[in-house]
Amino acid sequence: MRVIGTSGHVDHGKSTLVEKLSGINPDRLAEEQSRQMTIDLGFAWMSLAKGETVGIVDVPGHRDFIENMLAGVGGIDAALLVIAADEGIMPQTREHLAILRLLDVKDIIVVISKVDLIDDPDWIDLVRLDIEELFAGQQMPAPPMVEVSAHSGQGLDQLIRTLGEVLGGAPRRVDYGQPRLPIDRVFVLGGFGTVVTGTLAGGSLSVGDSVELQPSGIAGRIRGLQSYKRAVESAAPGSRVAVNIAGISSDQVRRGDMLAAPGQVRPSAMVDAQFCQLPDLDRPLEHNAEVKFFCGAAESMAKVRLLDAEQLYPGDEGWLQIRLRDALPLSRGDRYILRFPSPAQTIGGGLIVDARPRRRLKRFQEGIIRDLELRLRGTPAERLAVSAAGKTPVRRRELQASLGYSDEELRRALSEALELGLVKQVDESSFWSADSWHALADRALAQLGAFHSAHPLRLGMPRAQLRSRLDIKLSLLDQIVAGDERIAPEGNLLRLQNHRVVFDDDQSGKIDQLMRVLQENPYTPPSIEEMNDIVGEDVARALLDLRRLVNVNDRIAFARADYEFMVSEIRQKIHDHGEIDAKTLRDQFGTSRKYAIALLEHLDSLGITQRVGDVRKRGRNM
């Protein structure tokens, strides 16, 4: 099913034309009917020659109601731009056409109405020339033009045929499995409860589906569906839909809210956007200007940050980061419009390329502008890689939500991005851009380099300390270390591959002195504090890092060969006798109970031994 919009000046017979085509008067308000002027959105439907039902959104034409018009044109497939033959192009006609171009509505049919009031055919030719110039000025191809009279019926059959031809050549709405219904009307129906209407996009809705109202997040369920006054079990993207919701009251809903599948749409308070300024605007757009933001049926006051210019002038294009006063349910790929609040004037609009930016962007940064360009014009894999960039990896479902990809599109984009090395898979459901991965690796290298410079006698930096400095999870650090050959793990330490601990002659002499003391007292060595006095604290720490010394607690360390021999003997004793106690160990090595207990407790912590009462038996890691 398709949806068209009708737009035109208040006196151009637009609503009358809709009623002639559909049999439905779109002006439902008493004030509209008495003033014969569309004030709010009107809705109708009609059948084309081949039987297809087409929804009609009749939008206000008067300049005072442009913002109501914006709430209705976001989801249309084609537009009927109604221009009265006796009046020609009006200022609001130009504004409506500019808005249609900004919203990327490519299929437009110009309806030259009230031709029954014109006797001079040359006058109609002049109107056609004006229309062609109008479209040329908007850099749009000349549209089909149909001359009609709603009163006499002249040209109505031709209009229906033309509409069928235009819609027949337009691509069908794709079902991405991500239904979104921007709400343009809400009311209560006796015996049924809350009913909302809108033009469905992104996916199908079915009776019984769970839904979520955004931005409030209130959960509900679809009790019933109607499309063009017919009850249906399921509604497809591109159709006008009325949804009877259970669990959500009418006073909890307002125009501009959105119904979506649970968890698929989140409110956004800031967006990154491509922007085109209208060429006939009479003032520039300033950095930090306050504007009105319109997207779908939603609107909010906002402040715009210009990312690549100090000012944008009529006809300019640029990049904006828009901060909204009210969080709105927005998605990547949504079209939006900006207007000055006073005096009211349409400024321009464009495309949202990131509906949930992870940070406030710096201005005049080439890398940032390059990433924004990729988000706009890059391949699916390139856009995915940009979306996967940041301080931390991004979960698969967050990528899909930010990109608006279907399951199959996401699968293909991930496959291509992984194959090209644009992203890395961090775990089963998380991905990270290669640029972010390499940037983190470079930060890790810089931290290790700084540590080596500050502590040249340390073999490496404690893994937990580096994790803290980088502010990442230990599991991610482990993956970085495993994937970068420039980083060498040394037990619980990390070092640069080319880092070596080098002792000077004085330090080497003191180390020899300590080793002689240890040879003389292998099983009753001096305390670590005494070792520090002999060689210096930094050197003693280096000997521990290099495993020339092995500490069993914070006070006692053995030379590695002596430690390994004692451990080997303990293993053998347990193997032969099933157990060992502190007294046996003390007597076997001629040491003291202090050293024997310290060593056995150390082996308990490693799982080599296991304490059972007063003896040690085989541990889980023996």
Side-chain angles (χ1 to χ4, degrees):
M1 295 181 181
R2 304 306 185 95
V3 177
I4 63 172
T6 60
S7 171
H9 182 44
V10 60
D11 294 327
H12 288 186
K14 173 174 54 65
S15 297
T16 304
L17 175 65
V18 171
E19 188 171 7
K20 284 290 185 180
L21 290 171
S22 66
I24 300 168
N25 184 355
D27 290 339
R28 53 191 170 80
L29 303 178
E31 182 183 359
E32 291 177 316
Q33 295 177 13
S34 65
R35 295 173 63 183
Q36 294 189 327
M37 179 175 70
T38 302
I39 296 172
D40 202 357
L41 303 179
F43 305 101
W45 61 92
M46 60 177 286
S47 295
L48 298 180
K50 294 183 179 181
E52 180 182 4
T53 301
V54 176
I56 303 174
V57 180
D58 186 33
V59 302
H62 197 283
R63 299 196 76 172
D64 291 344
F65 305 111
I66 285 286
E67 293 178 2
N68 282 351
M69 173 263 191
L70 288 170
V73 295
I76 63 175
D77 298 289
L80 301 181
L81 186 63
V82 183
I83 299 174
D86 60 337
E87 292 187 338
I89 295 169
M90 304 292 286
Q92 51 268 51
T93 308
R94 299 180 185 276
E95 189 167 12
H96 282 209
L97 181 59
I99 289 170
L100 292 172
R101 182 175 71 82
L102 292 170
L103 295 176
D104 200 34
V105 179
K106 295 183 173 66
D107 293 319
I108 299 174
I109 300 170
V110 172
V111 180
I112 303 175
S113 65
K114 299 186 178 181
V115 293
D116 55 314
L117 301 180
I118 305 300
D119 295 327
D120 183 359
D122 291 339
W123 178 262
I124 300 293
D125 289 340
L126 289 174
V127 172
R128 283 177 169 269
L129 285 174
D130 286 345
I131 293 169
E132 289 174 359
E133 289 179 5
L134 171 64
F135 275 77
Q138 290 286 346
Q139 299 179 334
M140 301 173 72
M145 298 184 216
V146 182
E147 301 169 16
V148 303
S149 167
H151 293 287
S152 69
Q154 176 186 341
L156 293 182
D157 290 341
Q158 178 60 42
L159 176 57
I160 292 172
R161 285 194 298 271
T162 303
L163 189 54
E165 292 167 1
V166 168
L167 291 178
R172 293 280 174 177
R173 298 286 186 96
V174 179
D175 190 333
Y176 293 104
Q178 299 170 16
R180 299 191 303 151
L181 185 76
I183 295 169
D184 50 36
R185 188 179 174 209
V186 55
F187 56 92
V188 176
L189 196 60
F192 291 92
T194 304
V195 178
V196 300
T197 69
T199 303
L200 184 58
S204 300
L205 288 177
S206 299
V207 174
D209 283 353
S210 296
V211 289
E212 200 170 63
L213 182 69
Q214 290 293 352
S216 65
I218 302 172
R221 181 179 56 82
I222 297 179
R223 179 184 289 159
L225 288 171
Q226 279 197 357
S227 186
Y228 309 119
K229 288 290 185 180
R230 290 184 295 106
V232 294
E233 286 298 311
S234 182
S239 55
R240 288 289 306 172
V241 184
V243 185
N244 179 208
I245 318 170
I248 302 176
S249 63
S250 61
D251 58 2
Q252 294 175 311
V253 190
R254 63 176 185 173
R255 174 180 284 179
D257 287 352
M258 180 178 288
L259 273 191
Q264 286 194 340
V265 176
R266 288 180 296 170
S268 304
M270 185 167 67
V271 298
D272 298 337
Q274 173 264 351
F275 177 74
C276 298
Q277 187 151 319
L278 295 182
D280 55 354
L281 202 68
D282 58 6
R283 51 177 160 159
L285 179 63
E286 306 275 356
H287 177 64
N288 279 334
E290 189 171 61
V291 298
K292 295 184 83 170
F293 173 92
F294 299 84
C295 185
E299 65 177 271
S300 172
M301 293 300 296
K303 185 170 286 190
V304 294
R305 300 182 62 245
L306 276 56
L307 298 177
D308 55 354
E310 290 295 347
Q311 293 179 319
L312 288 174
Y313 293 92
D316 282 353
E317 296 187 8
W319 289 101
L320 309 179
Q321 189 165 61
I322 306 171
R323 184 175 292 278
L324 305 172
R325 184 184 65 188
D326 306 307
L328 300 178
L330 305 172
S331 297
R332 189 199 75 83
D334 286 350
R335 293 270 170 180
Y336 71 94
I337 298 292
L338 297 184
R339 283 172 59 82
F340 285 124
S342 180
Q345 187 178 22
T346 301
I347 308 167
L351 190 76
I352 295 174
V353 299
D354 189 355
R356 276 172 290 280
R358 302 171 107 188
R359 59 193 172 96
R360 184 176 185 268
L361 298 179
K362 294 182 179 179
R363 304 178 67 206
F364 304 109
Q365 300 291 309
E366 289 185 7
I368 288 174
I369 301 303
R370 182 186 64 246
D371 285 350
L372 291 171
E373 290 285 352
L374 282 176
R375 286 182 182 274
L376 178 66
R377 300 184 175 91
T379 65
E382 289 171 336
R383 294 201 295 269
L384 185 144
V386 175
S387 294
K391 291 184 178 180
T392 56
V394 184
R395 298 188 69 80
R396 183 189 186 106
R397 66 173 179 269
E398 292 175 357
L399 279 175
Q400 185 168 16
S402 67
L403 292 164
Y405 287 170
S406 66
D407 290 345
E408 179 59 22
E409 286 176 319
L410 182 67
R411 187 196 64 77
R412 287 200 304 264
L414 276 172
S415 177
E416 182 183 352
L418 288 167
E419 183 179 347
L420 295 174
L422 298 177
V423 299
K424 290 182 177 289
Q425 185 161 1
V426 177
D427 56 37
E428 186 177 346
S429 61
S430 296
F431 300 84
W432 211 15
S433 76
D435 287 346
S436 296
W437 177 284
H438 294 314
L440 178 61
D442 289 343
R443 286 174 56 212
L445 292 170
Q447 287 287 343
L448 290 175
F451 184 86
H452 292 327
S453 296
H455 310 284
L457 293 182
R458 293 296 306 272
L459 178 61
M461 186 178 190
R463 192 179 296 253
Q465 184 179 348
L466 180 57
R467 183 213 67 78
S468 178
R469 293 279 182 87
L470 298 175
D471 192 23
I472 59 173
K473 292 182 178 180
L474 192 58
S475 58
L476 180 56
L477 176 60
D478 289 342
Q479 290 193 56
I480 292 292
V481 171
D484 197 315
E485 60 184 15
R486 296 171 295 178
I487 302 175
E490 296 283 354
N492 198 39
L493 302 177
L494 298 172
R495 65 175 174 85
L496 294 179
Q497 189 67 253
N498 59 3
H499 174 69
R500 299 290 184 272
V501 175
V502 179
F503 300 111
D504 61 26
D505 292 343
D506 180 59
Q507 292 164 339
S508 296
K510 292 177 180 178
I511 292 171
D512 291 342
Q513 179 186 348
L514 174 60
M515 291 303 155
R516 286 194 296 270
V517 172
L518 291 174
Q519 286 175 355
E520 295 169 1
N521 305 279
Y523 309 122
T524 55
S527 67
I528 291 177
E529 185 176 356
E530 291 169 331
M531 292 181 186
N532 290 342
D533 291 339
I534 296 171
V535 298
E537 188 174 348
D538 289 346
V539 174
R541 179 73 259 179
L543 294 175
L544 288 168
D545 288 348
L546 294 167
R547 296 282 291 175
R548 293 180 65 178
L549 296 175
V550 180
N551 61 322
V552 296
N553 61 30
D554 58 359
R555 301 179 304 279
I556 297 172
F558 297 93
R560 185 175 67 182
D562 300 326
Y563 167 83
E564 291 176 350
F565 176 69
M566 295 173 76
V567 173
S568 176
E569 290 296 301
I570 291 169
R571 287 175 181 268
Q572 188 63 45
K573 186 71 72 173
I574 294 176
H575 180 268
D576 294 342
H577 302 285
E579 62 183 34
I580 190 173
D581 59 20
K583 181 178 181 301
T584 302
L585 181 62
R586 181 196 67 186
D587 293 345
Q588 180 174 350
F589 292 103
T591 184
S592 70
R593 180 176 174 81
K594 177 181 74 172
Y595 290 99
I597 292 294
L599 180 58
L600 289 173
E601 289 179 346
H602 167 71
L603 296 180
D604 290 344
S605 71
L606 298 178
I608 294 174
T609 59
Q610 178 184 6
R611 181 175 180 176
V612 181
D614 292 331
V615 301
R616 261 67 179 189
K617 294 182 178 293
R618 179 186 183 92
R620 67 186 182 279
N621 295 326
M622 190 167 183

